[in-house]
Structure formats: C-alpha cells, structure tokens
Amino acid sequence: MSEYRIQGATGEWEVVIGLEVHAQVTSNAKLFSGAATAFGAEPNAQVSLVDAAMPGMLPVPNRECIRQAVRTGMAIEAQINTWSRFDRKNYFYADLPQGYQISQLYHPLVGEGALEIQLDDKDPTSTKTIGIERIHVEQDAGKLMHDQHPTMSYVDLNRSGVALMEIVSRPDMRSPAEAGAYLAKLRQILRYVGSCDGNMDQGSMRADVNVSVRRPGEPFGTRTETKNVNSVRFVMAVVEQEARRQVALIEDGGTVVQETRLYDPDRNETRSMRSKEDAHDYRYFPDPDLLPLVLDEAFLAECRASLPELPDAKRRRYETALGLSAYNAAALTADVETARQFEALLASVATEAGKAEADVAKRVANWLLSERPGILNAKAIPADSPKNSLEANTAIVVATEAGTISGSKAKEIFERHLTGDIDLAAEIDSNKQTTDTGAIEAAVDAVLAANVDKVEQYKAGKEALFGFFVGQTMKAMQGKGNPQAVNQVLKAKLG
Amino acid sequence: MSVDTATVAKIASLARIRVSDAEIEAMVPELNGILAWVEQLGEVDVTGVEPMTAVIPNTLRLRDDVVNADPLTGGDIRDKVLANAPAAEHGFFGVPKVIE
C-alpha cells in the first residue's frame, strides 16, 4: 500500500494522527452512584444526589464499570494496573455540577496495549499495529441544550456520572483510512467484549482526533485536537480537512496553534473552538474522596475467564476449522451480532442434519451472507422479524443440505414463509425434489418432443441450449426435479 | 516553592474567586509562609518508604451494579434534584445561556 501524502505547493507532507476515544461503559448504574444509565429517559430523571453534586455526597465506584474496563484492557492485551487511583480534573462548566470531573491522570487502570488493523479488506497481510497508551475510567458530563429558550440554556444531568473509558492511542496512524480502520476495529472489539454498545449515533462512542503534519522523516509538528467526532466517516473527514488546513497554513508562512477544534459536517470543515489560555490548566490532584483502587487476583481471573473469543481469533478459526473463505470469515465476524447468529444457526443446522459443523458451515455461511439477505432486501423485511426465526432458518437450510429441496425452491419457500402464513414443514414436504428417474425421464421426453427444432439445433452444435432444456424440464416438474438427476437424464437422451 | 502576585491572581481566576489587588498583595506572603511550612516535610529522608495513601490500612470498596439499590444514592428523584435550582423548566435546570 502506498503511503498517504498531502501534496502541498512546496512538496509532500505526512499526516500524524492519534485518537482519544470515549466509550460509554455498558452498566446498569452510573460509575459512582445508583442512578440508571439507560438512553432516552426524561430529563434529570436518572440523576442522584451524587450526580447532582449535592454537598456531603460521596462517590462509591461501581464494580461492573471497573470490571468492563479491565476486560477491555485484556482484550487489547494491555497491562492491567492492579493499583490505580482517581484524580480530580478541575474546570467550571454548566454541564459539570461538581466543578471537577473524576478521572485518572497519574495512575490509570489500564496501561500499554495494542490493536491490529487491516488496511485492505481483501489482503489479510496488509496489517498494521497501532499502539494504545492507556485506558482510564472517568465520569461523563451532563448535556446542554441551547435552542429551547431565548435567554437560558437547559441542563440535563442524566448523563452526568455515567462511566466512560477513555482509550488513548499512540500517534501511530498516518492516513484517514488508518484512523477509520482503527476506530472501526476498536468498536468491533468493544462490542465483542460487551463493554460498550458502540452506538455512535447515541453518543456511546466519540473520538477526539489529534492531527499534525510534518515533512516525511522530520519531528512531529504541532497538533490540534478536534473534539467529539461521532462516526468513522467523520473521523476520516476530520483528518483530511485538518491536515489540508494545516499544510495550507504552514505553506502560507503561518504556524499551527495547539488548540481545540470542532468539526462541522454540513460544511466539512473544522473550526477553532476556544483559545482560552487557561483551558488546559486543570489542576489535577488525587481525589480525597476515593482510596486507591486495588484489584486482587480473583477479580482479574474472573475478568480473563469471561472474555469471549475475539474477532481475529474467530476469523482464523472460521477459515481453518470450518473451511470458510477469507472473505466469508471476515464478513461473518465483522460484527459480534452477525457472528452470534451464524454460530447459533450453524449449531442448530449441524444438530438437525446430524452432521459435523465443518460439513455444513459453507452452506450456512452462504445462506446468511448472500441468499437470505437477498430475500430480506427484495421484500424489505427487517432481519429482526419474528418470522426470520432460528427454527425457520434451520428447517430451510437442513432441507437444502439433505437434498430434500433444491436451492431455488428453498429461497422461494422461505420468501413465502416471510411474507405470508404458510406451514413451513408441509411446504418443504410437498416440494421435495425427486430423484425418481422414471418421473424425470417422462418430463424430459415431453420437453424434447415439444421442442424438436431446438433438439436439432443442439445436435448441430448449439450446446448453449442445454440450459434451456434443463429449465423447461424443471418448470414442467414445478422445480421438484433433482438438478443433478435432470442433467444426467438430459445428457443421456441428447446423446 | 513560592508564589508571586501573578500566580495568585491566576489561581483565583481559575477557582472563580474574586480577589482585589490589595487582597492578593496580602495573600502572597501568607501563602508563601504556608508553603514554606509544608516544605519542611521535604527535609525528612523517605528513601525506601512507600507513599502512604491513608492513615488506616483500608482499600476502596466497590458497589454492585444495581439501579436505585439505595434510595439515598439512586435516581428518580427529579423534584428533589431540581428543588434548589434558581430556575427549572420542563424538568431541566435553566442557566444563563452558555454557548461558544
């Protein structure tokens, strides 16, 4: 893969990117209080006296939030710090009732790890390792709304105190594509681990994008940080726009200022957010309300034991143990939900068909990746329709695997099952394909007799007509003829 | 370690505490006195002594992930949360418009 370069007026520039990703930890209650975390509640309904920073309230950490951050660290093979501590990050803003955010600056829960990205979908060897500096646990802030009242801003503290993991990468990325692949890979792993739902449109994952430019081989340039970017596509756009802006600025004789910027998707540009010189003076200090967090071996062992098979390992297993193509293995493991569906259907089909999983894996993969989506798309049926059940899918795939019905009949019956109200077992039964040579021969004879002219042409060398005869025979048999048997009989009769 | 008038003014501004120039002038020697007093601790040789984080041996206790398990630290108390707000409308706190 060729290296990504910005072509400036004075030559080539290299882009250096680091991402700080805030991922909302999946938990029922908040990081330091018992208020709920569910999305979409009435304003300020999920706020405790702790989250509203009422005097005298003390934070007590939620074990599950710590556990999920540790499991995430283990999934990226990071160092887990059995001794960590919470610090106060002090600043004043209307969405922060405490006047400080409880975070971890000096002793984060998770230390150095790494994540491997693949740069070309079709080339499994096009990988690059992106370093992760740390993961720390911290509180989210509340939400401000500015457009509801002419002179006031409204504050909703439902999100205040919800647990976040801040996952800080090394400045190891060098192109928009690498930054996008890193965020997508991180999201995939978080969803596998179950530590974050990855719903970017609900704000469950947001990235702060650090970008700088330099002449290839020179030291790092001054970086800017574009805050709260909430999709893979926007992250890629931010990198490109910000790099171009910095190159143009430097080539015009200016200098890049270290500052916080905002991305405006409508205009596809970044702009300066605030240049208050004190903005970064957070006066961190250890939170006196919280003792150091010490994790014992039993806690770590449970975290490790509860980790699922991760996407890269799963993809390799699908290729080696199940014999799937690299493309199918990647498609089935791309999202944890797809992999879960595949494994459920695979187990169910193997059991019902009385075969080994490896023997039915290709058929199940094709059904899930190409045949079924074709039907769902054509009929605009949502994948979570109750009709699209494990039982129905199993019945169809098992009947195809056993040769009871043909592949085309399977699709047709499944489509009628989804759109209407049919007895699936009875439909499969009444559409059994026949290998009865007598019936097939009778059908073939009738087709050949009705198409004497085409038989002549075929015999004269127009071999493409073979498909026509197959089609006509299948049509005459209402699709129930076994395709191999029909082919054999036709070949014999046409000599 | 010592502070000057500029540092004191900056800390006051970061903490959103209004102090007059005269008060700052008075505070500089006071704060420097406190700092010097605390700095005496630096004379103690602590080589090989682990930093102490609490006076009694105690570790951080963790809570189960249960919503509203204790009513004192649970949610669903919007009226209480908003009770002292100078302005509250439609379930929100109302604050002077803050927009960048």
Side-chain angles (χ1 to χ4, degrees):
Chain A
M1 185 165 166
S2 66
E3 291 179 70
Y4 180 84
R5 292 284 185 264
I6 299 276
Q7 299 296 329
T10 59
E12 289 195 333
W13 296 83
E14 184 181 36
V15 188
V16 177
I17 307 139
L19 293 186
E20 293 165 29
V21 176
H22 290 90
Q24 182 179 329
V25 178
T26 301
S27 65
N28 300 315
K30 293 184 181 180
L31 179 55
F32 294 116
S33 84
T37 60
F39 180 77
E42 287 291 300
N44 292 310
Q46 298 177 165
V47 180
S48 71
L49 299 175
V50 180
D51 313 313
M54 292 297 169
M57 302 309 292
L58 286 172
V60 180
N62 180 338
R63 182 180 293 104
E64 178 65 8
C65 299
I66 306 300
R67 177 177 171 271
Q68 291 291 19
V70 168
R71 293 174 75 244
T72 304
M74 288 173 168
I76 56 161
E77 286 166 27
Q79 178 200 328
I80 307 299
N81 296 323
T82 53
W83 193 99
S84 68
R85 198 167 65 183
F86 291 98
D87 303 301
R88 290 186 181 179
K89 177 182 182 178
N90 300 282
Y91 65 96
F92 287 101
Y93 208 61
D95 61 7
L96 189 76
Q98 287 170 158
Y100 57 86
Q101 176 194 34
I102 305 179
S103 181
Q104 298 187 298
L105 177 69
Y106 300 108
H107 298 280
L109 183 56
V110 178
E112 289 212 46
L115 184 151
E116 194 172 81
I117 58 173
Q118 188 174 324
L119 301 169
D120 179 354
D121 282 350
K122 292 180 186 66
D123 178 9
T125 63
S126 64
T127 56
K128 177 171 177 178
T129 300
I130 308 296
I132 291 178
E133 189 182 305
R134 53 148 65 203
I135 301 177
H136 63 255
V137 179
E138 63 185 23
Q139 298 175 301
D140 204 349
K143 194 174 86 179
L144 286 170
M145 295 166 83
H146 304 294
D147 52 1
Q148 306 291 307
H149 191 280
T151 59
M152 285 197 291
S153 290
Y154 282 168
V155 188
D156 175 8
L157 297 181
N158 279 348
R159 240 175 41 194
S160 167
V162 166
L164 300 177
M165 292 179 278
E166 180 168 334
I167 304 158
V168 184
S169 86
R170 294 262 170 216
D172 285 350
M173 289 156 273
R174 295 288 179 270
S175 71
E178 289 184 15
Y182 169 82
L183 185 59
K185 183 64 179 278
L186 188 58
R187 179 173 183 275
Q188 180 193 37
I189 289 177
L190 295 178
R191 282 179 50 79
Y192 266 77
V193 170
S195 58
C196 170
D197 65 23
N199 288 335
M200 301 189 81
D201 50 354
Q202 291 179 1
S204 295
M205 266 183 96
R206 323 188 276 275
D208 296 345
V209 186
N210 290 284
V211 176
S212 65
V213 298
R214 63 174 174 186
R215 298 286 188 191
E218 289 194 354
F220 290 147
T222 305
R223 67 187 161 86
T224 63
E225 179 180 14
T226 305
K227 286 275 191 191
N228 282 332
V229 185
N230 66 354
S231 79
V232 171
R233 193 161 59 87
F234 288 165
V235 164
M236 294 170 71
V238 163
V239 171
E240 182 165 355
Q241 292 314 315
E242 188 50 24
R244 290 189 184 286
R245 186 189 71 84
Q246 291 182 13
V247 166
L249 184 67
I250 297 168
E251 291 190 333
D252 272 358
T255 43
V256 176
V257 185
Q258 183 166 345
E259 63 176 355
T260 308
R261 299 180 69 84
L262 264 185
Y263 177 63
D264 179 346
D266 295 330
R267 304 171 65 171
N268 188 27
E269 63 180 28
T270 67
R271 58 169 180 266
S272 185
M273 207 166 139
R274 55 184 160 194
S275 43
K276 285 183 252 166
E277 69 248 47
D278 296 335
H280 293 288
D281 197 342
Y282 293 124
R283 294 152 297 140
Y284 280 96
F285 65 91
D287 191 315
D289 287 342
L290 290 155
L291 286 161
L293 174 60
V294 181
L295 303 178
D296 60 27
E297 193 41 53
F299 184 89
L300 298 175
E302 190 287 324
C303 289
R304 209 171 288 120
S306 68
L307 275 187
E309 183 181 32
L310 294 168
D312 288 349
K314 203 181 268 300
R315 199 182 66 212
R316 279 192 294 274
R317 179 169 66 83
Y318 284 5
E319 287 182 48
T320 52
L322 297 179
L324 297 182
S325 67
Y327 179 85
N328 278 2
L332 288 169
T333 53
D335 185 71
V336 66
E337 202 39 55
T338 315
R340 208 172 277 153
Q341 268 186 38
F342 170 69
E343 289 182 10
L345 185 58
L346 181 65
S348 170
V349 166
T351 307
E352 292 296 316
K355 293 187 176 180
E357 289 194 349
D359 294 334
V360 295
K362 276 182 198 153
R363 188 177 296 277
V364 172
N366 285 337
W367 174 253
L368 283 186
L369 291 175
S370 84
E371 289 161 14
R372 193 182 74 179
I375 302 167
L376 293 175
N377 288 344
K379 296 288 157 190
I381 293 165
D384 61 358
S385 155
K387 289 260 188 176
N388 187 22
S389 65
L390 179 63
E391 291 73 25
N393 280 276
T394 304
I396 286 288
V397 179
V398 167
T400 324
E401 175 65 26
T404 314
I405 53 174
S406 66
S408 56
K409 266 289 168 202
K411 285 195 272 187
E412 182 211 310
I413 294 172
F414 195 68
E415 182 180 318
R416 282 195 283 123
H417 162 74
L418 290 177
T419 53
D421 193 19
I422 61 167
D423 181 340
L424 198 56
E427 281 293 323
I428 290 172
D429 201 49
S430 67
N431 282 287
K432 269 186 185 160
Q433 58 184 355
T434 180
T435 45
D436 171 0
T437 341
I440 294 173
E441 280 186 3
V444 167
D445 286 342
V447 167
L448 297 185
N451 296 285
V452 180
D453 51 335
K454 296 216 165 55
V455 175
E456 292 293 325
Q457 290 170 25
Y458 178 83
K459 287 187 171 160
K462 201 171 174 191
E463 290 187 4
L465 279 169
F466 191 78
F468 166 80
F469 295 125
V470 174
Q472 290 298 304
T473 308
M474 290 301 271
K475 196 173 160 193
M477 299 186 72
Q478 284 131 28
K480 293 177 202 168
N482 175 290
Q484 283 91 18
V486 168
N487 278 349
Q488 275 172 13
V489 172
L490 265 171
K491 277 202 177 116
K493 297 249 175 207
L494 288 166
Chain B
M1 189 188 193
S2 65
V3 292
D4 55 17
T5 49
T7 309
V8 175
K10 187 183 172 190
I11 293 167
S13 139
L14 286 170
R16 303 291 189 273
I17 298 172
R18 182 180 300 155
V19 279
S20 67
D21 289 349
E23 282 170 316
I24 290 177
E25 288 302 331
M27 234 178 262
V28 169
E30 273 180 40
L31 286 171
N32 282 332
I34 294 169
L35 286 169
W37 183 69
V38 172
E39 259 174 9
Q40 291 178 61
L41 290 172
E43 292 164 17
V44 183
D45 182 4
V46 290
T47 319
V49 180
E50 269 197 43
M52 188 176 72
T53 50
V55 283
I56 42 169
N58 209 347
T59 49
L60 183 59
R61 294 204 322 186
L62 301 177
R63 198 165 39 80
D64 287 337
D65 185 30
V66 179
V67 172
N68 301 347
D70 179 345
L72 282 176
T73 57
D76 290 330
I77 49 162
R78 182 158 83 186
D79 292 346
K80 276 191 185 172
V81 163
L82 295 175
N84 296 319
E89 288 183 8
H90 313 295
F92 294 96
F93 291 92
V95 299
K97 195 155 272 212
V98 275
I99 191 157
E100 304 227 7

